[in-house]
Amino acid sequence: AGIETFQVIDQSIQPGQRPFAKLPAVRINYAELFGPLGITYGGLAAITRFVKSNSFQGDRIFMKPKLSWRNKNAGWFAQPVVGFQAISYNLDQTDGTSSEESVAAPIVSFDSGLIFEREMKKDDFFQTLEPRLYYLYVPTRDHTGIPDFDTSLKDINFDALFSDNRFVGGDRIGDANQVSLAISTNILDGSSGETVFSASIGQIFHFQDREVTLDAIALPDTSDRSPVVGELRLNTADWWSASATAAWDSEINRLEKYGLQFRFLPATDTIINLSYRFRRNTQTIGRSNGIEQTDLSFAAPVTKRWKTVGRWQYSLEDRRSLETFIWFEYESCCFAIRVVNRRFIVDNFGNTDRQLFLQLELKGMTSVGRNVDDFLEEGIFGYE
């Protein structure tokens, strides 16, 4: 259970485009293994109250039960899944009237793969080759009258190839009749069992148009295949790692997005992250969604009692800093003081604002001020 509200910093965002508050949201995840064949019954249920000033609002009940049966041995796996997603609403309109809406659909998927393994010439290293096939079927359901409280399209990446819904959030049931084909390879250190290198590539092939969209004016998606997505990960030493991702649109022969990330651990309690990401502009309604950004962050001790954390996020496309912050902490046996100075973009016109966070923690008692650790865990990859 929880409560989620938003403070709108960018005043150029129209009231109708601002997010709904969740007052409250109650979620239940459940899973249970039963039967001699290893069938698993589980699912997700949620009840949420959505509130926004000068707008319709309402309650949403979301249910998604499923049955799955996973078969696996050393060389293969297969997992059929049968589920059902149902969404119902009680809506309060701005004119004082109320209405009820609902939508539901079955979800059927089949995930399968082979696992080949060989010993490499270099001692104690093994390589795997893992082809994978994932089929998904969800019939089309009419979403007329169904609101969009918190839903968006998923970003295309390798994990999204094996998702049973192309939407994030609880307001859309994405229709599908598709198969995902992928292949992965991993190199493992036989002595430690750790993966030192991995590479994956895959694509979705559609057998029908996708009629369900986020809004009524959007056109159905008629493409017969998704971009080819791939990822590489390298982790040959304890003190550094690297990864790369990319999405290639094979219908127009164009790289749609890619990213690079490096992580360094030069000493105990020291982290340095450096990343670059690019996404081509597809010109969504109202604003551009193209990005080209760099991101540098770090966390390191200065002395035994002092440590610092910082981040610099920069837009190469706009030639300006999107966010910078510096954080200092002093910690003794009895108390800790944390201070964060943050500067960030507040609107589409490049105007900036500055925030100062201060937190005093009395060991064994309580803390006063904003929870700085939560802010840092969101902003610094690997920070704990």
Side-chain angles (χ1 to χ4, degrees), residues 42 46 55 66-67 105 140 143 174 178 226 248 257-258 271 279 291 295 310 316 328 337 354 357 359 361 364:
S55 172
K66 65 179 180 180
L67 283 170
T140 303
H143 282 65
Q178 64 190 47
S226 75
W248 173 270
K257 55 174 284 190
Y258 58 90
I271 302 171
R279 182 176 65 206
I291 60 172
D295 198 336
L316 296 171
F328 293 99
I337 298 177
R354 189 180 297 274
F357 305 147
Q359 183 182 36
E361 180 181 344

Side-chain angles (χ1 to χ4, degrees), residues 110-336:
F110 181 77
D111 195 4
S112 61
L114 300 173
I115 305 171
F116 302 99
E117 183 179 295
R118 71 180 182 93
E119 186 174 355
M120 301 182 68
K121 292 183 179 180
K122 188 174 181 179
D123 293 341
D124 296 329
F125 281 86
F126 296 86
Q127 182 183 14
T128 66
L129 186 66
E130 304 173 24
R132 185 174 177 182
L133 182 149
Y134 177 79
Y135 175 75
L136 174 66
Y137 176 74
V138 183
T140 303
R141 292 293 185 262
D142 186 4
H143 282 65
T144 302
I146 302 299
D148 177 8
F149 285 126
D150 63 353
T151 303
S152 60
L153 274 171
K154 281 183 179 176
D155 190 23
I156 182 66
N157 54 43
F158 188 76
D159 291 337
L161 301 181
F162 313 103
S163 173
D164 64 5
N165 196 343
R166 64 182 179 274
F167 296 102
V168 179
D171 300 308
R172 295 293 183 270
I173 306 174
D175 51 338
N177 184 10
Q178 64 190 47
V179 62
S180 299
L181 299 179
I183 190 165
S184 302
T185 183
N186 298 280
I187 297 178
L188 298 90
D189 186 335
S191 59
S192 65
E194 295 184 356
T195 301
V196 298
F197 173 80
S198 65
S200 302
I201 189 170
Q203 188 175 24
I204 300 174
F205 296 89
H206 301 284
F207 304 127
Q208 67 179 39
D209 297 341
R210 277 72 65 211
E211 302 286 343
V212 178
T213 58
L214 283 174
D215 53 70
I217 64 174
L219 297 175
D221 188 344
T222 60
S223 61
D224 58 6
R225 57 187 183 271
S226 75
V228 178
V229 294
E231 60 182 25
L232 297 172
R233 300 185 185 277
L234 185 63
N235 186 24
T236 58
D238 294 336
W239 62 273
W240 77 280
S241 62
S243 63
T245 60
W248 173 270
D249 192 329
S250 58
E251 293 188 334
I252 58 177
N253 293 323
R254 189 174 71 176
L255 193 62
E256 292 297 311
K257 55 174 284 190
Y258 58 90
L260 300 170
Q261 184 176 61
F262 300 91
R263 184 184 183 193
F264 301 94
L265 305 169
T268 303
D269 297 329
T270 300
I271 302 171
I272 302 173
N273 298 309
L274 178 62
S275 64
Y276 168 84
R277 59 175 181 157
F278 169 86
R279 182 176 65 206
R280 195 174 300 278
N281 177 26
T282 56
Q283 196 63 41
T284 56
I285 297 175
R287 64 177 62 188
S288 166
N289 66 349
I291 60 172
E292 186 177 11
Q293 298 174 358
T294 59
D295 198 336
L296 172 65
S297 61
F298 68 91
V302 179
T303 66
K304 184 177 180 180
R305 296 190 182 278
W306 286 91
K307 63 180 178 180
T308 182
V309 177
R311 183 185 186 187
W312 178 30
Q313 189 178 21
Y314 184 80
S315 172
L316 296 171
E317 183 178 22
D318 300 321
R319 296 184 179 181
R320 66 187 181 191
S321 296
L322 302 177
E323 180 183 34
T324 57
F325 69 76
I326 187 71
W327 171 91
F328 293 99
E329 176 188 283
Y330 176 82
E331 185 172 11
S332 69
C333 61
C334 304
F335 68 92

